[in-house]
Amino acid sequence: TRSLLGVFEEDATAISNYMNQLYQAMHRIYDAQNELSAATHLTSKLLKEYEKQRFPLRGDDEVMSSTLQQFSKVIDELSSCHAVLSTQLADAMMFPITQFKERDLKEILTLKEVFQIASNDHDAAINRYSRLSKKRENDKVKYEVTEDVYTSRKKQHQTMMHYFCALNTLQYKKKIALLEPLLGYMQAQISFFKMGSENLNEQLEEFLANIGTSVQNVRREMDSDVETMQQTIEDLEVASDPLYVPDPDPTKFPVNRNLTRKAGYLNARNKTGLVSSTWDRQFYFTQGGNLMSQARGDVAGGLAMDIDNCSVMAVDCEDRRYCFQITSFDGKKSSILQAESKKDHEEWICTINNISKQIYLSENPEETAARVNQSALEAVTPSPSFQQRHESLRPAGQSRPPTARTSSSGSLGSESTNLAALSLDSLVAPDTPIQFDIISPVCEDLPGQAKTSGQGGRRTNPFGESGGSTKSETEDSILHQLFIVRFLGSMEVKSDDHPDVVYETMRQILAARAIHNIFRMTESHLLVTCDCLKLIDPQTQVTRLTFPLPCVVLYATHQENKRLFGFVLRTSGGRSESNLSSVCYIFESNNEGEKICDSVGLAKQIALHAELDRRASEKQKEIERVKEKQQKELSKQKQIEKDLEEQSRLIAASSRTNQASSEGQFVVLSSSQSEESDLGEEGKKRESEA
């Protein structure tokens, strides 16, 4: 019996192990179904919320939203079906196997433990009963041992019968525990599929077929776009290979001077101390009349500088290449930037120049800029008749000096009606070279520069204060006004009697700078006094040029761009055959052109009044000298008359004493006395004339 019991117990242990594994598998099905139901419900919820999303790139969202709403309804129904399936699995599959595991298998284990205890108690009771003494019998002890054997044997037998019954019943419960969960699982699935077949009607199948067709169309479009993009990438890789070079060849990539918009990376100079600075690389772009900058990671750009009516020029800064400086119209703000290549350097300068002239406000800015530049070229290019006439007057074998003839868009629109009536020959001398930089007075004397000995390298105090024992030339001047100017250029002109000469020279010089890429300008301090105009180096205070004020015969500012002004200097010598020549100097200021011209006019008025006063003073001195001379002559004549009277008395006295003895003789006067008498007669005539 115990051997058979061991077989049943081993079978019960195997059933317990197998059913535990099956329980875990079915529990995974149940958990998965619950997760599927929750995930399906969440998917339906997210599809409903698609139309509330705000995507930065919004395409055909209305069609997509309606499609996803339809899908949301279907998936929501499926979610309900999955929830029903989860409930059915919990009732029909998990409940039976859980009952078998928690109730039946635990009962077998409990009965096994109780049977083992009862068997051990019975063995102990039999062992005590077997040790009863045969010689010394004790009825009380014998009764207790016998009663103990009876009780333990009865208990063991009852426990054994219940245990054996449970083991026999376990074989039936095992079959039920295996089949009932599977039956519930299959019935739940069948019910789920029935609900699905009811929901998936023909209309839904047609909808799914349309969506499938749309997906295929989208896939084909995607494949086509990917193929196009791959081809574009290949073409760009081939075409962009030269652009990888930081400084491309300008012959292959010419400079576009007609831009009114530009963007790109520039290095900006930021001063961190008196002599130290840092360079930050930022993205710059133009927007209307503003220069914007945007650091990496910023959402939008910020205003760097207002470049309307600004000035831009190439500069040398910290031994870096391709640097240029932008100065605001009022001169209060400036910025130094560095471009990556020579092409970018020139395009940035040309673009800012075009924006400064407000070309961007026209309807077609680039066409306007191109037309302005073309007009500038035509305006300074000699016509065939002019060229042939000038060539015919040139001696044979004479080489043509280098010229720089262009026009600038900065002076377009400022031509007066009088200028239209004048010809180019009447304003500018033919083949006149343009000088773009100030030549140091130590190296060369410019026309019209009145210099005294030792003036070239001497420092000048612009405010007329004395320094040491040496007096400044302008120390006694009433007017002292200082302006910051930038020299644009100078050229000889044929006429100096009309402001249109200055306007035409401005146009010629600005155009020459634009055509020949000359953006560098020398900054100086212009000192206006009653005696002269001086250009002073702002750093060393050395006088670069001196223009005598009487030689400044004409001065004017641009009619539209008030930063530009110029004056004509009449000097001796020059290119013309006559002894006098006229040179026009053009400058750019910080929006102070009219102030400078007013200051020059005031200086000339003061100088004129001073000259008139000087002449009046000299005339008064001359009158006083004449009066003094007349007084001296009158006094001298009176003295002569006294001498003559004295001599007359002496002669009369001598004649009376010697009258008797000297009859027939005459008194002879000396030569000095005769000269004095002549002078006396001339003095009387002058006195009568006065």
Side-chain angles (χ1 to χ4, degrees):
T1 300
R2 287 189 177 273
S3 297
L4 185 60
L5 179 61
V7 174
F8 273 83
E9 288 179 348
E10 184 178 355
D11 182 71
T13 303
I15 291 174
S16 177
N17 293 334
Y18 177 78
M19 294 304 292
N20 284 330
Q21 294 178 7
L22 185 62
Y23 172 81
Q24 293 177 0
M26 291 185 174
H27 200 279
R28 288 181 62 185
I29 293 175
Y30 176 70
D31 291 340
Q33 184 60 41
N34 286 335
E35 180 65 23
L36 179 61
S37 176
T40 308
H41 179 70
L42 180 61
T43 302
S44 174
K45 182 179 178 181
L46 291 175
L47 292 178
K48 289 180 180 179
E49 295 177 354
Y50 177 82
E51 60 182 1
K52 299 179 181 179
Q53 302 299 317
R54 295 294 180 265
F55 297 102
L57 299 177
R58 300 181 65 89
D60 51 348
D61 284 349
E62 294 182 359
V63 177
M64 183 62 69
S65 297
S66 61
T67 303
L68 294 181
Q69 288 295 325
Q70 186 68 23
F71 269 112
S72 174
K73 294 179 181 179
V74 176
I75 294 176
D76 193 23
E77 294 177 358
L78 292 177
S79 175
S80 302
C81 295
H82 283 292
V84 173
L85 178 59
S86 297
T87 304
Q88 291 178 350
L89 290 178
D91 295 338
M93 182 181 71
M94 294 306 299
F95 181 74
I97 195 170
T98 302
Q99 287 291 98
F100 177 76
K101 179 177 176 292
E102 298 294 334
R103 185 182 63 183
D104 296 334
L105 291 180
K106 283 188 176 182
E107 182 184 5
I108 295 295
L109 293 176
T110 303
L111 289 175
K112 181 180 179 181
E113 292 177 359
V114 173
F115 172 73
Q116 189 67 34
I117 294 172
S119 179
N120 292 336
D121 291 343
H122 177 261
D123 290 342
I126 290 296
N127 190 16
R128 288 196 300 271
Y129 179 77
S130 299
R131 289 199 304 269
L132 287 175
S133 175
K134 183 170 60 174
K135 296 178 179 180
R136 293 179 299 175
E137 291 185 0
N138 187 342
D139 294 337
K140 183 177 179 180
V141 173
K142 183 178 179 181
Y143 176 76
E144 290 178 355
V145 171
T146 302
E147 187 66 26
D148 190 13
V149 171
Y150 172 79
T151 304
S152 61
R153 183 170 289 177
K154 183 179 179 180
K155 181 179 178 181
Q156 180 190 13
H157 186 247
Q158 291 177 351
T159 304
M160 183 175 60
M161 287 188 296
H162 287 288
Y163 182 40
F164 291 168
C165 180
L167 288 176
N168 290 329
T169 308
L170 183 62
Q171 300 301 318
Y172 299 102
K173 290 182 178 181
K174 177 185 70 174
K175 296 177 182 179
I176 296 173
L178 285 173
L179 297 177
E180 194 173 12
L182 295 177
L183 181 61
Y185 173 75
M186 294 306 298
Q187 289 177 348
Q189 292 291 344
I190 292 172
S191 176
F192 173 74
F193 292 143
K194 285 182 178 180
M195 288 187 295
S197 63
E198 293 176 358
N199 293 328
L200 297 175
N201 49 22
E202 294 181 357
Q203 184 178 0
L204 182 59
E205 291 179 358
E206 183 180 357
F207 169 73
L208 295 177
N210 294 333
I211 296 300
T213 304
S214 300
V215 171
Q216 294 299 325
N217 293 334
V218 172
R219 188 178 298 277
R220 282 193 295 270
E221 292 179 3
M222 181 187 68
D223 294 339
S224 176
D225 287 345
V226 168
E227 184 178 357
T228 303
M229 286 188 289
Q230 290 294 335
Q231 184 63 36
T232 304
I233 290 173
E234 294 176 2
D235 296 340
L236 287 176
E237 287 178 352
V238 175
S240 302
D241 187 67
L243 298 178
Y244 300 145
V245 181
D247 196 0
D249 188 2
T251 58
K252 297 181 180 178
F253 300 94
V255 178
N256 188 355
R257 307 183 187 281
N258 305 326
L259 297 176
T260 55
R261 293 183 300 174
K262 187 168 177 62
Y265 279 95
L266 296 172
N267 293 327
R269 180 175 180 265
N270 299 318
K271 295 193 68 176
T272 57
L274 294 177
V275 295
S276 60
S277 60
T278 59
W279 293 82
D280 297 333
R281 180 177 171 85
Q282 290 187 358
F283 185 79
Y284 284 83
F285 60 95
T286 60
Q287 190 174 46
N290 299 323
L291 179 65
M292 314 292 287
S293 65
Q294 184 174 356
R296 182 168 296 179
D298 290 350
V299 179
L303 177 64
M305 182 179 292
D306 182 5
I307 54 179
D308 270 339
N309 297 322
C310 74
S311 62
V312 58
M313 62 179 177
V315 294
D316 293 330
C317 186
E318 298 182 4
D319 197 22
R320 285 183 173 241
R321 301 184 302 167
Y322 311 133
C323 294
F324 59 95
Q325 180 176 355
I326 308 173
T327 306
S328 60
F329 71 96
D330 55 1
K332 296 181 180 179
K333 184 177 181 181
S334 64
S335 179
I336 296 179
L337 304 172
Q338 181 191 18
E340 190 176 82
S341 63
K342 183 178 180 181
K343 177 178 178 294
D344 281 347
H345 178 256
E346 295 182 4
E347 284 187 351
W348 271 108
I349 292 177
C350 293
T351 303
I352 294 175
N353 268 327
N354 292 335
I355 295 175
S356 176
K357 298 159 188 170
Q358 298 184 351
I359 297 178
Y360 67 92
L361 297 176
S362 59
E363 294 182 358
N364 298 316
E366 293 192 4
E367 293 182 3
T368 304
R371 188 167 60 254
V372 166
N373 292 333
Q374 184 64 28
S375 300
L377 283 172
E378 295 174 355
V380 298
T381 302
S383 61
S385 60
F386 177 85
Q387 185 72 14
Q388 293 170 3
R389 181 172 69 253
H390 193 60
E391 290 292 339
S392 64
L393 297 176
R394 187 192 307 276
Q398 180 181 356
S399 61
R400 182 176 181 179
T403 60
R405 297 180 176 274
T406 51
S407 175
S408 171
S409 58
S411 61
L412 289 178
S414 64
E415 300 177 359
S416 62
T417 57
N418 295 329
L419 182 58
L422 297 175
S423 64
L424 184 64
D425 295 350
S426 63
L427 297 179
V428 181
D431 295 332
T432 302
I434 298 176
Q435 181 176 314
F436 295 107
D437 202 356
I438 299 176
I439 301 177
S440 173
V442 178
C443 302
E444 181 179 350
D445 292 345
L446 289 177
Q449 182 178 352
K451 298 188 299 180
T452 60
S453 60
Q455 177 188 349
R458 185 172 63 82
R459 295 179 182 269
T460 301
N461 191 332
F463 300 100
E465 297 176 357
S466 61
S469 61
T470 305
K471 275 194 173 184
S472 174
E473 294 178 357
T474 59
E475 193 175 26
D476 297 331
S477 178
I478 300 175
L479 180 65
H480 288 84
Q481 289 190 352
L482 195 67
F483 302 94
I484 299 175
V485 297
R486 289 172 289 277
F487 181 69
L488 294 176
S490 64
M491 61 186 300
E492 188 173 345
V493 295
K494 295 180 65 176
S495 174
D496 56 9
D497 56 355
H498 200 280
D500 293 334
V501 177
V502 180
Y503 304 152
E504 178 66 19
T505 306
M506 288 180 182
R507 193 165 63 91
Q508 294 273 0
I509 291 177
L510 291 176
R513 282 182 167 269
I515 297 300
H516 296 282
N517 299 329
I518 301 174
F519 303 108
R520 189 185 307 277
M521 293 183 288
T522 303
E523 185 171 285
S524 303
H525 288 169
L526 178 64
L527 179 63
V528 180
T529 66
C530 298
D531 301 325
C532 62
L533 306 180
K534 284 189 177 183
L535 286 181
I536 303 173
D537 191 320
Q539 297 181 353
T540 62
Q541 297 301 316
V542 173
T543 300
R544 290 173 172 167
L545 287 177
T546 300
F547 307 102
L549 194 62
C551 298
V552 179
V553 296
L554 182 64
Y555 50 91
T557 183
H558 198 280
Q559 293 177 337
E560 293 181 356
N561 189 354
K562 300 305 180 183
R563 295 177 299 144
L564 301 179
F565 76 97
F567 57 84
V568 178
L569 196 73
R570 184 181 296 171
T571 61
S572 60
R575 293 169 52 89
S576 61
E577 296 178 358
S578 62
N579 293 329
L580 295 178
S581 65
S582 299
V583 180
C584 185
Y585 294 85
I586 304 301
F587 296 88
E588 180 188 39
S589 65
N590 297 332
N591 207 19
E592 295 178 344
E594 292 183 345
K595 293 182 180 179
I596 296 175
C597 290
D598 293 341
S599 178
V600 175
L602 178 61
K604 290 187 73 66
Q605 289 180 4
I606 294 174
L608 177 61
H609 289 301
E611 181 65 20
L612 293 177
D613 293 342
R614 185 186 64 80
R615 291 182 180 180
S617 177
E618 289 181 354
K619 187 175 181 180
Q620 184 67 28
K621 289 180 180 179
E622 182 67 24
I623 294 174
E624 290 177 356
R625 283 197 300 268
V626 171
K627 287 183 178 181
E628 185 179 356
K629 188 176 180 180
Q630 290 177 355
Q631 290 294 335
K632 287 181 180 180
E633 290 179 352
L634 288 174
S635 62
K636 188 175 181 180
Q637 186 175 1
K638 289 180 180 180
Q639 184 66 32
I640 292 172
E641 290 178 353
K642 287 182 179 181
D643 293 340
L644 290 174
E645 290 178 358
E646 185 66 27
Q647 287 180 3
S648 299
R649 285 196 299 269
L650 291 174
I651 292 171
S654 61
S655 63
R656 284 195 299 269
T657 56
N658 298 327
Q659 185 176 9
S661 59
S662 58
E663 288 181 359
Q665 294 181 358
F666 297 93
V667 177
V668 181
L669 297 175
S670 65
S671 61
S672 61
Q673 291 176 348
S674 63
E675 289 175 0
E676 289 178 356
S677 62
D678 295 337
L679 290 174
E681 293 177 359
E682 291 178 1
K684 290 179 180 180
K685 291 180 180 180
R686 290 180 182 175
E687 185 177 1
S688 62
E689 290 177 358

